[in-house]
Structure formats: structure tokens, C-alpha cells
Coordinates of all heavy atoms in Angstrom, one line a residue:
G1 N -1.3 -2.4 18.3 CA -0.6 -1.3 17.8 C 0.1 -1.6 16.5 O 0.2 -0.8 15.6
N2 N 0.7 -2.9 16.4 CA 1.3 -3.3 15.1 C 0.3 -3.3 14.0 O 0.6 -2.8 12.9 CB 1.9 -4.7 15.3 CG 2.3 -5.3 14.0 OD1 3.3 -4.9 13.4 ND2 1.6 -6.3 13.5
Q3 N -0.9 -3.8 14.2 CA -1.9 -3.8 13.2 C -2.4 -2.4 12.7 O -2.6 -2.2 11.6 CB -3.1 -4.6 13.7 CG -2.9 -6.1 13.8 CD -2.6 -6.8 12.5 OE1 -1.5 -6.8 12.0 NE2 -3.6 -7.5 11.9
V4 N -2.5 -1.5 13.7 CA -2.8 -0.1 13.3 C -1.8 0.5 12.4 O -2.1 1.1 11.4 CB -3.0 0.7 14.6 CG1 -3.1 2.2 14.3 CG2 -4.2 0.3 15.4
S5 N -0.5 0.2 12.8 CA 0.6 0.7 11.9 C 0.6 0.1 10.5 O 0.7 0.8 9.5 CB 1.9 0.4 12.6 OG 3.0 0.7 11.8
K6 N 0.5 -1.2 10.5 CA 0.4 -1.9 9.2 C -0.8 -1.4 8.3 O -0.7 -1.2 7.1 CB 0.4 -3.4 9.3 CG 1.6 -4.0 10.1 CD 2.9 -3.9 9.3 CE 4.0 -4.6 10.0 NZ 5.3 -4.5 9.4
A7 N -1.9 -1.3 9.0 CA -3.1 -0.8 8.3 C -2.9 0.6 7.7 O -3.4 0.9 6.6 CB -4.3 -0.9 9.2
T8 N -2.3 1.4 8.5 CA -2.0 2.8 8.0 C -1.2 2.7 6.7 O -1.4 3.4 5.8 CB -1.2 3.6 9.1 OG1 -2.1 3.7 10.3 CG2 -0.9 5.0 8.6
L9 N -0.1 1.9 6.7 CA 0.7 1.8 5.5 C 0.0 1.2 4.4 O 0.1 1.7 3.2 CB 1.9 0.9 5.9 CG 2.9 1.4 6.9 CD1 4.0 0.3 7.2 CD2 3.6 2.7 6.5
L10 N -0.9 0.2 4.6 CA -1.6 -0.4 3.5 C -2.6 0.6 2.9 O -2.7 0.7 1.6 CB -2.4 -1.6 4.0 CG -1.5 -2.8 4.4 CD1 -2.3 -3.8 5.2 CD2 -0.9 -3.5 3.1
L11 N -3.3 1.4 3.7 CA -4.3 2.3 3.2 C -3.6 3.5 2.5 O -4.0 3.9 1.4 CB -5.1 2.9 4.4 CG -6.1 1.9 5.0 CD1 -6.7 2.5 6.2 CD2 -7.3 1.7 4.0
A12 N -2.4 3.9 3.0 CA -1.7 5.0 2.4 C -1.1 4.6 1.0 O -1.2 5.3 0.1 CB -0.6 5.5 3.3
L13 N -0.6 3.4 1.0 CA -0.1 2.8 -0.3 C -1.2 2.8 -1.3 O -1.0 3.1 -2.5 CB 0.5 1.4 -0.1 CG 2.0 1.3 0.2 CD1 2.4 -0.1 0.4 CD2 2.8 1.9 -1.0
E14 N -2.4 2.3 -0.9 CA -3.5 2.2 -1.8 C -3.8 3.6 -2.4 O -4.1 3.7 -3.6 CB -4.7 1.6 -1.1 CG -5.8 1.1 -2.0 CD -5.6 -0.2 -2.6 OE1 -4.5 -0.8 -2.3 OE2 -6.4 -0.6 -3.5
N15 N -3.8 4.6 -1.6 CA -4.1 5.9 -2.0 C -3.1 6.5 -3.0 O -3.4 7.0 -4.0 CB -4.3 6.9 -0.9 CG -5.5 6.6 0.0 OD1 -6.4 5.9 -0.5 ND2 -5.6 7.0 1.2
A16 N -1.8 6.3 -2.6 CA -0.7 6.9 -3.4 C -0.6 6.1 -4.7 O -0.4 6.8 -5.8 CB 0.6 6.8 -2.6
M17 N -0.7 4.8 -4.7 CA -0.5 4.1 -5.9 C -1.6 4.3 -6.9 O -1.4 4.2 -8.2 CB -0.4 2.6 -5.6 CG 0.9 2.2 -4.9 SD 0.9 0.5 -4.3 CE 0.6 -0.4 -5.8
A18 N -2.8 4.6 -6.4 CA -3.9 4.9 -7.3 C -3.7 6.1 -8.2 O -4.3 6.2 -9.3 CB -5.2 5.1 -6.5
K19 N -2.8 7.0 -7.8 CA -2.5 8.2 -8.6 C -1.5 7.9 -9.7 O -1.4 8.6 -10.7 CB -1.9 9.3 -7.7 CG -2.9 9.7 -6.6 CD -2.2 10.7 -5.7 CE -3.2 11.1 -4.6 NZ -2.5 12.1 -3.6
Y20 N -0.8 6.8 -9.6 CA 0.3 6.4 -10.6 C 0.2 4.9 -10.9 O 1.1 4.1 -10.8 CB 1.7 6.7 -10.0 CG 1.8 8.2 -9.6 CD1 1.6 8.5 -8.2 CD2 2.1 9.2 -10.5 CE1 1.6 9.8 -7.8 CE2 2.1 10.5 -10.1 CZ 1.9 10.8 -8.7 OH 2.0 12.1 -8.3
P21 N -1.0 4.5 -11.4 CA -1.2 3.0 -11.6 C -0.3 2.4 -12.6 O 0.0 1.2 -12.5 CB -2.7 3.0 -12.0 CG -3.0 4.3 -12.6 CD -2.2 5.3 -11.8
A22 N 0.1 3.1 -13.6 CA 1.0 2.5 -14.7 C 2.4 2.3 -14.2 O 3.1 1.5 -14.8 CB 0.9 3.5 -15.9
F23 N 2.8 3.0 -13.1 CA 4.2 2.9 -12.7 C 4.4 2.3 -11.4 O 5.5 2.2 -10.9 CB 4.8 4.4 -12.6 CG 4.5 5.2 -13.8 CD1 4.2 6.5 -13.7 CD2 4.6 4.7 -15.1 CE1 3.9 7.3 -14.8 CE2 4.4 5.4 -16.3 CZ 4.0 6.8 -16.1
T24 N 3.3 1.7 -10.8 CA 3.5 1.1 -9.5 C 2.8 -0.3 -9.4 O 1.8 -0.5 -10.1 CB 2.8 2.0 -8.4 OG1 1.5 2.2 -8.7 CG2 3.6 3.4 -8.3
E25 N 3.2 -1.1 -8.4 CA 2.6 -2.4 -8.2 C 2.8 -2.7 -6.7 O 3.7 -2.2 -6.1 CB 3.2 -3.4 -9.1 CG 2.6 -4.8 -9.0 CD 1.1 -4.8 -9.4 OE1 0.3 -4.5 -8.5 OE2 0.8 -5.1 -10.6
Y26 N 1.9 -3.6 -6.2 CA 2.0 -4.0 -4.8 C 2.1 -5.5 -4.8 O 1.3 -6.2 -5.4 CB 0.8 -3.6 -4.0 CG 0.7 -4.1 -2.6 CD1 1.5 -3.5 -1.6 CD2 -0.1 -5.1 -2.2 CE1 1.5 -4.0 -0.3 CE2 -0.1 -5.6 -0.9 CZ 0.7 -5.0 0.0 OH 0.7 -5.5 1.3
F27 N 3.1 -6.0 -4.0 CA 3.3 -7.4 -3.8 C 2.9 -7.8 -2.4 O 3.4 -7.2 -1.4 CB 4.7 -7.9 -4.0 CG 5.0 -9.3 -3.7 CD1 4.4 -10.3 -4.4 CD2 5.8 -9.6 -2.6 CE1 4.6 -11.7 -4.0 CE2 6.1 -10.9 -2.2 CZ 5.5 -12.0 -3.0
P28 N 1.9 -8.7 -2.2 CA 1.3 -8.9 -0.8 C 2.2 -9.8 0.1 O 1.7 -10.9 0.6 CB 0.0 -9.5 -1.2 CG 0.2 -10.3 -2.4 CD 1.2 -9.5 -3.2
A29 N 3.4 -9.5 0.4 CA 4.3 -10.3 1.3 C 3.6 -10.4 2.6 O 3.6 -11.5 3.3 CB 5.6 -9.7 1.4
Y30 N 3.1 -9.3 3.1 CA 2.5 -9.2 4.5 C 1.3 -10.2 4.5 O 1.2 -11.0 5.5 CB 2.1 -7.8 4.8 CG 1.3 -7.6 6.1 CD1 2.0 -7.6 7.3 CD2 -0.1 -7.3 6.1 CE1 1.3 -7.4 8.5 CE2 -0.7 -7.1 7.3 CZ 0.0 -7.2 8.5 OH -0.7 -7.0 9.7

């Protein structure tokens, strides 16, 4: 269940950030 939740966040972030690539970045702490 934890992995499903984290995967949801990772996929959603990937989608959202792709729309604003110049103003966003991802740091892979996880």
C-alpha cells in the first residue's frame, strides 16, 4: 500500500512538472 501511494505521487509529479519544465525540478530523496 505504501508503494502504491508513493508510485501515485511519483507519476503525478512527472505529469505535472512536464507542463512547467523551466520552473520545476525533482530531487530524488525517496
Side-chain angles (χ1 to χ4, degrees):
N2 170 73
Q3 291 295 79
V4 169
S5 171
K6 299 293 188 184
T8 298
L9 296 176
L10 290 166
L11 288 169
L13 264 179
E14 194 76 6
N15 292 342
M17 290 171 54
K19 299 176 183 177
Y20 306 94
F23 310 140
T24 60
E25 186 60 277
Y26 175 75
F27 173 66
Y30 177 73

